[in-house]
Amino acid sequence: MVKLGKHVARISAACLRIFAPFYVPENDEVEGVVCKASELADNSMKEFPLGEDGGKVLVVKQHGEIFAVGSKCTHYGAPLANGALGEGRVRCPWHGACFNIKSGDIEDFPGLDSLPCYKVEVTSDGDVKVKGKKSDLTVSKRAKQLTCRDPVNSQAIVIIGGGAAGASCVETIRQEGFTGRVVLISKEPHLPYDRPKLSKMLDVDVKKIYLRSEDFYLNNGIEILKGVEATNIDTKGKVVTLSNGESVKYSSVFIASGSRPRTMKVPGSDLNNIFTIRVPEDAKAIFSQLTPKSNVVVVGSSFIGMEAAAFCVGKVNSVVVLGRSSDPFKETLGENVGSRIRHLFENTKGVIMEMNVQVTEFGGKDGKVSSVKLNDGRTLDADVVIVGIGAIFNSEFLSQSEVETTGNGAVQTNEYLQTNVENVYAGGDIAHAPVFAIGNKKAAIGHWQIAHYHGHVAAKNMVGKKTSLRTVPFFWTMLFGMSVRYAGYGGGFDKVEVVHEDILKFVAYYLQKDEVVAIATLGKDPIAAKFAELLYEGKKLTTSDIKDNAWVTAAKA
């Protein structure tokens, strides 16, 4: 009876939250004139203060109507006034999240929260008066309302994977009115967390980067099964078998099992102090071995490796990055951009970049790595080795199922993230899914933003609200406090055109024939966001548009 009482109380508390938004205590109200309507050009946005406590709102005028929403992106707090205004929505300049200007609802990701929305009145004198909650101004974010769990509803949606796709999926399921059982299966012993921070901050406390609290999931009837993984899906019996011997029946299942780091296959690879980075325990283990006397060798010159190298600089004796190509990021960002990043690491930060090399062997002492041997015969001192050489899809558990996968283990889906099996969906890293930005050609994209978006779309489709994929991939990396933004999908680009003001301030255009399929920027916000919004609206850039970034001034402010 005690357990039942707690369960009822928890459900009651969750139900009360549905009605909370309709009641605003008088002392929580704030109202004021923020500007004159004549100050706002059509199709523009501007940030204004509201109240006496330093709060700000974003005021948007589009098609003659004026709206007011929260001024900061709910992901990392970027000022939205510096972003890109699209048709009915504003896009964050830093990481591409999008919010509806009428409701404040989040429409694209990363992040889970929506913006607060304020009442707007234009007086007869032309004053723009804004009214809302003081608490909204302080927090500048809001969680969308979630439906209560109904114990009578016997349906169950099972989510395999506790990453961004899974976290986004479980919330959207409840937001869209599903009252049955929601079960998230996570092989990690943690709640869903902000994974991209691991390689950027190896000393991060995982509990401080949880996306939601334990109480959030409990109060909303979302079951999190931690420390277990799926070992099989019986698609005929609709049962997921778990590593602890238990099983879970489903009405629909979402496969978002992600990927794991690829490991080295050379002599000495089993020595201690050779690490990959995927989970908090990896980051913690690496950080525990870093001392001012440590010689750190990073194998791999793409995003994980370069971010880890940037973190280690200044904390250890030396940092050496080993790459198989001539420049870091060459395969994804091209040689011109890669050489600029190499300049930053070598000439500015003192990182030793050893390019066009391969590791042939690790040497050890007392069971720990002590050296790295290269294919050119040289041997480097190494107390800590960080390996970032790609990933492998976690799809082996599907081998006995009817779910169709590609040769490398990605799961085939359609534009609704449905697999070839009824009521089985897939998303995130593991999904070989249509990409709207490239005419719905299929690709498996391991981006944090894509994973969030996939979870959202899969959830809507699983609860019967048919929604097709329509997003523009948006990726970023942070290196020494500088962010490279990447929008679009440049897989198989023919050439790169770079428009630059400085070696570390540029816009790179990735072209297939005459069409721009992606861009990368450094120090040029919000151009990546503007390009993403341009693609989202079905428009294109060609070679003739990009000289001196001329298209930017012609685009919406």
Side-chain angles (χ1 to χ4, degrees):
M1 291 297 291
V2 174
K3 288 185 178 179
L4 180 60
K6 286 183 178 180
H7 182 66
V8 172
R10 187 174 292 133
I11 292 176
S12 299
C15 292
L16 284 172
R17 290 197 310 279
I18 293 176
F19 302 101
F22 301 101
Y23 172 68
V24 182
E26 189 174 338
N27 62 358
D28 191 33
E29 288 187 342
V30 60
E31 182 177 19
V33 174
V34 296
C35 66
K36 288 283 188 180
S38 58
E39 295 178 44
L40 301 170
D42 199 40
N43 207 47
S44 70
M45 56 185 177
K46 192 173 181 180
E47 184 180 272
F48 293 99
L50 177 65
E52 299 176 352
D53 298 326
K56 294 180 179 180
V57 295
L58 182 72
V59 177
V60 183
K61 185 175 183 181
Q62 193 167 74
H63 303 311
E65 292 187 82
I66 298 175
F67 311 95
V69 294
S71 65
K72 295 180 180 180
C73 178
T74 62
H75 179 226
Y76 283 176
L80 292 173
N82 297 338
L85 180 59
E87 186 62 36
R89 64 190 206 159
V90 58
R91 184 182 289 269
C92 170
W94 291 357
H95 307 126
C98 298
F99 304 91
N100 187 289
I101 61 174
K102 295 183 179 181
S103 65
D105 287 352
I106 189 167
E107 294 185 344
D108 207 336
F109 305 84
L112 295 171
D113 290 314
S114 295
L115 296 174
C117 188
Y118 303 94
K119 294 180 180 179
V120 176
E121 176 190 353
V122 180
T123 70
S124 58
D125 294 330
D127 292 334
V128 177
K129 186 184 293 185
V130 177
K131 181 179 180 179
K133 298 180 185 179
K134 290 181 182 178
S135 53
D136 282 344
L137 282 173
T138 302
V139 179
S140 198
K141 64 173 64 176
R142 70 177 166 85
K144 293 179 70 175
Q145 295 302 309
L146 277 68
T147 304
C148 301
R149 166 78 171 99
D150 181 359
V152 177
N153 188 338
S154 61
Q155 289 185 306
I157 296 179
V158 174
I159 296 89
I160 300 173
S168 176
C169 188
V170 295
E171 285 199 36
T172 305
I173 287 168
R174 284 282 186 248
Q175 290 165 0
E176 295 297 329
F178 181 75
T179 60
R181 191 180 180 197
V182 179
V183 183
L184 185 146
I185 299 165
S186 174
K187 68 178 181 180
E188 296 186 48
H190 306 293
L191 298 175
Y193 58 87
D194 194 349
R195 192 185 305 278
K197 287 188 174 178
L198 294 183
S199 55
K200 299 173 180 69
M201 300 188 299
L202 298 174
D203 57 344
V204 69
D205 179 350
V206 64
K207 291 184 178 180
K208 292 182 179 179
I209 59 172
Y210 279 169
L211 300 178
R212 296 297 193 199
S213 68
E214 188 93 46
D215 283 346
F216 176 89
Y217 295 112
L218 287 171
N219 292 339
N220 290 293
I222 298 168
E223 302 171 49
I224 310 288
L225 306 184
K226 295 181 286 187
V228 294
E229 56 186 307
T231 57
N232 185 51
I233 295 181
D234 175 1
T235 54
K236 292 182 179 178
K238 293 187 176 182
V239 174
V240 177
T241 304
L242 306 179
S243 57
N244 61 4
E246 298 179 2
S247 61
V248 184
K249 289 188 68 67
Y250 67 83
S251 306
S252 295
V253 63
F254 178 50
I255 303 167
S257 47
S259 56
R260 62 186 182 276
R262 192 178 298 277
T263 57
M264 301 290 293
K265 304 291 185 183
V266 299
S269 297
D270 57 345
L271 289 165
N272 290 329
N273 284 11
I274 299 176
F275 303 98
T276 56
I277 306 176
R278 179 67 182 178
V279 298
E281 290 74 16
D282 296 334
K284 184 177 180 180
I286 295 169
F287 184 72
S288 71
Q289 298 301 313
L290 301 181
T291 73
K293 295 182 179 180
S294 298
N295 296 304
V296 176
V297 174
V298 177
V299 183
S301 60
S302 195
F303 298 101
I304 296 294
M306 297 298 282
E307 288 173 354
F311 176 87
C312 292
V313 171
K315 302 176 179 66
V316 298
N317 180 54
S318 68
V319 178
V320 180
V321 174
L322 307 179
R324 298 182 66 171
S325 58
S326 59
D327 292 289
F329 305 113
K330 183 178 178 180
E331 290 76 13
T332 51
L333 300 181
E335 187 174 358
N336 196 315
V337 173
S339 65
R340 293 164 189 270
I341 304 301
R342 180 174 180 175
H343 170 85
L344 169 65
F345 274 69
E346 278 187 326
N347 299 353
T348 307
K349 302 300 179 180
V351 177
I352 301 169
M353 303 291 295
E354 295 288 356
M355 309 305 291
N356 293 312
V357 297
Q358 295 182 43
V359 175
T360 58
E361 185 178 352
F362 293 108
K365 185 178 181 180
D366 300 326
K368 293 183 178 180
V369 69
S370 60
S371 64
V372 179
K373 188 174 182 179
L374 306 180
N375 61 338
D376 61 9
R378 288 181 295 156
T379 300
L380 308 177
D381 291 336
D383 303 298
V384 176
V385 173
I386 302 171
V387 178
I389 55 172
I392 300 171
F393 298 121
N394 292 322
S395 58
E396 290 87 352
F397 70 98
L398 299 173
S399 62
Q400 301 302 311
S401 77
E402 297 178 348
V403 177
E404 183 182 354
T405 59
T406 64
N408 63 357
V411 180
Q412 296 279 20
T413 80
N414 63 14
E415 67 270 32
Y416 307 106
L417 292 174
Q418 296 170 314
T419 70
N420 62 305
V421 180
E422 187 178 8
N423 297 321
V424 178
Y425 297 76
D429 294 9
I430 203 166
H432 190 243
V435 181
F436 168 78
I438 54 172
N440 285 326
K441 294 177 183 176
K442 286 189 176 185
I445 301 176
H447 292 183
W448 189 243
Q449 170 259 334
I450 287 286
H452 273 265
Y453 183 77
H454 278 184
H456 177 76
V457 170
K460 295 188 108 176
N461 285 304
M462 285 191 288
V463 300
K465 297 184 178 180
K466 199 169 185 178
T467 305
S468 60
L469 293 169
R470 183 177 175 176
T471 188
V472 177
F474 200 105
F475 181 81
W476 71 95
T477 184
M478 177 71 78
L479 304 167
F480 301 111
M482 293 181 283
S483 283
V484 177
R485 324 272 187 212
Y486 181 95
Y489 183 72
F493 59 87
D494 299 324
K495 61 179 179 177
V496 184
E497 295 285 348
V498 178
V499 179
H500 68 278
E501 297 174 19
D502 186 272
I503 192 169
L504 295 175
K505 192 172 186 180
F506 61 83
V507 180
Y509 294 92
Y510 298 86
L511 296 149
Q512 286 182 357
K513 296 182 179 179
D514 193 44
E515 183 181 339
V516 180
V517 293
I519 71 170
T521 70
L522 179 56
K524 295 293 290 183
D525 292 341
I527 291 180
K530 287 179 178 287
F531 178 73
E533 199 58 25
L534 181 142
L535 290 187
Y536 178 82
E537 292 178 356
K539 301 174 184 177
K540 294 181 179 180
L541 286 183
T542 62
T543 306
S544 60
D545 299 316
I546 64 178
K547 186 178 180 182
D548 299 323
N549 299 323
W551 69 275
V552 178
T553 55
K556 294 176 180 178

